[in-house]
Amino acid sequence: MNHSRSQKKDLYDSPDYYLLDELLTEEHKLIRASVREWVKKELSPVIEDFAQRAEFPRYLIPGLAAIGAFGPTIPVEYGGAGLDYTAYGIIMQELERGDSGIRSTASVQGSLVMYPIYAFGSEEQKQKYLPKLAAGEMMGCFGLTEPDFGSNPGGMVTSFKDAGDYVVLNGAKLWISNAPFADIAVVWAKNEEGVVHGLIVERGMEGFSTPETHQKWSLRASATGELVFDQVKVPKANILPGVKGLKGPLSCLNQARYGIAWGALGAAMDCYDTALRYSKERVQFDRPIGGFQLQQKKLAEMITEITKGQLLVWRLGILKSENRATPEQISMAKRNSVEVALDIARQARQMLGGMGITGEYPIMRHMMNLESVVTYEGTHDIHLLITGMDVTGFNAFK
Amino acid sequence: MKILVCMSNVPDTTTKITFTSDHKQFNAAGVQFILNPYDELALARAIELTEGGKGTVTVIHVGEASSDPTIRKALAIGADDAVRIDSPAIDAFFTASQVAAYAKDKGFDLVLTGRESIDHNGAQVPAMIGELLGIPSVSIIKKLVIDGTTGILEREIEGGKEIVHVPLPFIASCAEGVAEPKIPNMRGIMSARTKPLSVVTVTEAPVLTSIEKYETPVPRGAVKMVAADDVAKLVGLLHTEAKVI
């Protein structure tokens, strides 16, 4: 393998200021410990190198599958683990503690590819794709956003026309995680009546290409690309029969946003943990900088926001497992966790001074990653409007 | 091949050690317990040796119900079943007696342990089990291969290595090199839910030791730097301050 491994030991431990571990089951804790151990052993030593070189560590896919990162809530008969949503959140949190780009790969595979096939697919589609996706033998991506339609997906122009046994798909999707290497794409496009449907497009279909997006300053260890459809003939058997309209893609985003709500806190905790350790070791004016009031203010505010965020996602996990979490509740958690994480990353970066901008520490990488996370799956502003509309009843989107 | 792996439930390596009851007991409050890292090596090798239907791995633990999450982890890593002798592990002989009493009529081909547990670091239990079961015991092995009915073990010795051939059944305590520890995967965690964990009543055994007092090591003092060419000063300090020469 053409990458270098860091010899630095990953000493991460998650803060648990309000003893929330007591609210987890032993199995939740075993899952967390196992994913954390995997991240420390397989991801932490190489992530900086891959991020610096803007390359996705593709060889980690079988390992990600083995630890249950792909569709852990999907039932066992389709290759999933049949776990509850708290377990799913924990897995995303541990992965994003390592890197948001790696968590993104898992989110896309589980929430945006496996979930719609499971929720809206035919039995044949489920049998054909889900076990391979869960095992990482097949990777997927999700096509909703277009060059001219980001926060307003309903305006999409990608469309398909009926041609007998198949449909002909034309259009383009942009900012698609996993696109460059995905074997399949769940693509949302309008039919001739302008109704949105989901189609499973397979690599190798004529007219389907996935050019990679280069020169990103964020999610550098994750592969991002475009999906281009030029007269692609998609068999009708590849259309998801169980949903029509924007409800389809939005319900997928709901799943993924839930994972991000847990995940972004993972990045926040890694920044906090790093800054706290550094503040005890770094000596200035003859004492550790952790003894200075301005540093303590930063740490105190960080752990407070982390603890509030942990409580929020813990409760959201219970609601989600009981199928009671509303899209608005999930939206709030996604927005809050990412905002908190970004702020903590910036504060932690300051505490590390010059070291904070180097690849010796994970903070700057988290901070840059989070600029994507605060934008995708509903921007921070859009999520504010979702909460705003929910509490006032007035639509401020348009 | 039937393998028995002994496992301890020990404080995490980062634990801050404190004591209660007038320094006669370890204070377990708030302490995170883990599967003894050396036992993980033994377990990993046992799983490798039995992979593909070539045998079974049973883990055995002497301890109370609070150890069950750690035992479940061993099952998630890949042990087929588990036995917990329902008693605190009072001392090495008591613990070895419990394991021997359980194992004596079960027909295990191989018993593996870690080289020591990282709490008391006694490294006594494996040899005691061997003696009580009347089977050969080899300590601190770095490699373990089974060839037919013979175990080929590698030990590190001063200036070289020692290869030991020993007939099954035997007991060996494992150190680094025997195997890479395994991280439980999701399939393992799911199957651990239904794998058997039997709780066995304690066998009477003498307690041969008692704890007089625990104490933590004296904190290390500051390092004093002596210039490389100032041997006289170094000798002087070793003589007058450190009082070692």
Side-chain angles (χ1 to χ4, degrees):
Chain A
M1 274 169 285
N2 184 27
H3 63 262
S4 62
R5 286 180 75 86
S6 163
Q7 296 305 310
K8 196 170 167 183
K9 198 166 171 76
D10 179 354
L11 298 168
Y12 174 73
D13 195 13
S14 51
D16 184 18
Y17 205 74
Y18 266 34
L19 311 182
L20 294 176
D21 276 10
E22 291 174 11
L23 303 173
L24 301 176
T25 64
E26 289 303 333
E27 190 171 274
H28 288 147
K29 285 187 258 187
L30 179 56
I31 289 168
R32 184 179 63 183
S34 303
V35 179
R36 185 172 299 174
E37 212 174 324
W38 183 85
V39 167
K40 285 187 177 185
K41 188 175 169 194
E42 302 292 341
L43 185 60
S44 299
V46 301
I47 187 62
E48 189 60 37
D49 185 49
F50 277 95
Q52 294 277 1
R53 291 188 292 108
E55 186 186 333
F56 172 65
R58 202 167 165 183
Y59 74 99
L60 290 178
I61 286 174
L64 281 165
I67 57 160
F70 301 148
T73 59
I74 299 288
V76 177
E77 63 261 38
Y78 296 118
L83 296 174
D84 66 11
Y85 275 90
T86 302
Y88 173 55
I90 286 169
I91 295 170
M92 294 302 117
Q93 188 159 86
E94 291 302 320
L95 289 180
E96 188 145 9
R97 197 287 293 182
D99 188 77
S100 302
I102 303 303
R103 197 271 305 140
S104 296
T105 292
S107 282
V108 169
Q109 182 86 342
S111 292
L112 301 182
V113 178
M114 294 176 71
Y115 173 77
I117 294 173
Y118 172 66
F120 311 125
S122 65
E123 188 55 35
E124 292 72 33
Q125 290 168 343
K126 291 185 208 181
Q127 300 280 359
K128 181 177 176 186
Y129 297 110
L130 290 178
K132 285 185 177 167
L133 289 163
E137 292 162 12
M138 182 183 264
M139 293 301 289
C141 65
F142 174 87
L144 176 65
T145 297
E146 298 187 356
D148 293 325
F149 297 93
S151 294
N152 175 24
M156 70 172 72
V157 294
T158 298
S159 63
F160 61 91
K161 286 200 166 97
D162 197 319
D165 291 342
Y166 56 87
V167 297
V168 178
L169 178 67
N170 278 293
K173 300 289 182 178
L174 193 61
W175 306 122
I176 310 302
S177 294
N178 298 2
F181 59 80
D183 303 292
I184 63 168
V186 172
V187 177
W188 302 92
K190 285 177 178 167
N191 67 9
E192 285 152 281
E193 287 78 48
V195 179
V196 172
H197 282 272
L199 298 85
I200 304 169
V201 181
E202 299 185 18
R203 186 173 292 282
M205 287 181 173
E206 205 177 325
F208 173 42
S209 59
T210 60
E212 185 160 358
T213 304
H214 294 290
Q215 299 189 319
K216 294 176 296 172
W217 282 122
S218 180
L219 301 184
R220 288 171 63 81
S222 161
T224 311
E226 297 171 50
L227 305 177
V228 181
F229 313 104
D230 179 13
Q231 297 285 104
V232 182
K233 291 177 184 171
V234 182
K236 280 189 174 163
N238 282 29
I239 298 176
L240 298 174
V243 73
K244 57 183 180 182
L246 272 183
K247 174 179 173 286
L250 293 184
S251 66
C252 299
L253 294 181
N254 215 34
Q255 297 291 108
R257 288 169 182 171
Y258 171 79
I260 296 169
W262 281 81
L265 279 185
M269 289 193 272
D270 198 39
C271 292
Y272 167 77
D273 184 64
T274 304
L276 177 62
R277 192 168 294 116
Y278 190 83
S279 77
K280 292 175 181 173
E281 291 165 0
R282 172 70 173 168
V283 173
Q284 288 291 283
F285 303 105
D286 301 321
R287 59 187 169 117
I289 61 168
F292 293 103
Q293 290 183 352
L294 285 175
Q295 306 304 326
Q296 289 193 0
K297 173 181 187 288
K298 292 186 185 78
L299 290 166
E301 287 173 348
M302 285 183 206
I303 189 62
T304 307
E305 288 306 321
I306 286 169
T307 304
K308 281 150 70 178
Q310 285 172 331
L311 273 159
L312 197 146
V313 297
W314 170 77
R315 177 60 186 154
L316 187 67
I318 305 246
L319 291 174
K320 185 97 176 87
S321 292
E322 292 172 353
N323 206 18
R324 294 199 291 145
T326 65
E328 292 78 12
Q329 287 169 334
I330 292 170
S331 159
M332 178 189 279
K334 188 268 182 187
R335 169 172 54 85
N336 180 69
S337 291
V338 182
E339 183 181 34
V340 161
L342 249 181
D343 192 45
I344 286 173
R346 289 168 182 156
Q347 296 294 331
R349 213 292 305 152
Q350 281 200 50
M351 289 185 64
L352 265 74
M355 289 311 288
I357 67 159
T358 71
E360 279 288 299
Y361 294 90
I363 293 173
M364 192 83 178
R365 179 168 46 79
H366 282 312
M367 193 203 298
M368 296 197 297
N369 283 341
L370 289 163
E371 291 291 345
S372 291
V373 183
V374 78
T375 304
Y376 69 22
E377 310 267 352
T379 65
H380 183 81
D381 290 352
I382 288 291
H383 285 297
L384 284 168
L385 297 186
I386 290 173
T387 307
M389 186 163 84
D390 197 37
V391 296
T392 66
F394 299 126
N395 182 345
F397 285 89
K398 48 188 175 184
Chain B
M1 178 149 61
K2 259 180 89 170
I3 306 179
L4 182 67
V5 176
C6 306
M7 54 160 281
S8 295
N9 189 34
V10 297
D12 197 354
T13 47
T14 56
T15 306
K16 192 174 184 311
I17 305 291
T18 57
F19 307 109
T20 58
S21 311
D22 199 21
H23 283 255
K24 287 195 171 171
Q25 264 185 357
F26 168 62
N27 180 9
V31 170
Q32 175 73 35
F33 281 84
I34 60 168
L35 179 52
N36 180 40
Y38 293 118
D39 300 344
E40 280 201 58
L41 305 177
L43 177 60
R45 187 63 188 136
I47 291 165
E48 287 171 1
L49 288 170
T50 54
E51 257 165 358
K54 284 186 285 190
T56 57
V57 177
T58 301
V59 287
I60 186 167
H61 172 70
V62 181
E64 294 169 302
S66 57
S67 301
D68 285 353
T70 306
I71 299 174
R72 284 277 166 222
K73 180 183 176 184
L75 293 170
I77 288 171
D80 296 280
D81 62 336
V83 176
R84 178 168 62 78
I85 311 293
D86 194 16
S87 161
I90 300 171
D91 65 15
F93 185 75
F94 178 87
T95 304
S97 301
Q98 301 305 323
V99 175
Y102 175 81
K104 69 175 188 299
D105 53 2
K106 303 287 191 302
F108 288 106
D109 301 294
L110 178 60
V111 183
L112 294 177
T113 70
R115 60 175 287 176
E116 63 196 82
S117 59
I118 62 160
D119 47 6
H120 291 91
N121 300 79
Q124 299 172 60
V125 172
M128 287 179 179
I129 295 173
E131 178 64 22
L132 290 167
L133 288 176
I135 58 174
S137 161
V138 186
S139 60
I140 316 184
I141 62 165
K142 298 272 183 182
K143 269 188 192 161
L144 164 59
V145 176
I146 304 293
D147 183 8
T149 56
T150 306
I152 304 165
L153 319 178
E154 193 176 304
R155 303 180 73 239
E156 218 168 56
I157 53 171
E158 189 75 31
K161 60 186 179 186
E162 177 182 55
I163 311 291
V164 181
H165 288 241
V166 55
L168 292 171
F170 64 88
I171 179 166
S173 70
C174 300
E176 293 93 339
V178 159
E180 274 293 305
K182 291 182 188 300
I183 300 172
N185 62 28
M186 192 50 68
R187 201 168 294 275
I189 291 171
M190 287 158 61
S191 63
R193 289 176 188 163
T194 50
K195 284 179 178 174
L197 193 176
S198 3
V199 179
V200 175
T201 314
V202 68
T203 304
E204 203 159 308
V207 174
L208 304 176
T209 59
S210 65
I211 302 291
E212 289 301 307
K213 191 184 174 194
Y214 283 111
E215 51 187 63
T216 50
V218 182
R220 267 193 299 187
V223 173
K224 195 168 273 186
M225 302 299 287
V226 180
D229 53 4
D230 198 353
V231 178
K233 188 175 178 192
L234 177 64
V235 171
L237 285 171
L238 288 171
H239 184 63
T240 56
E241 258 186 42
K243 296 191 169 74
V244 292
I245 53 173

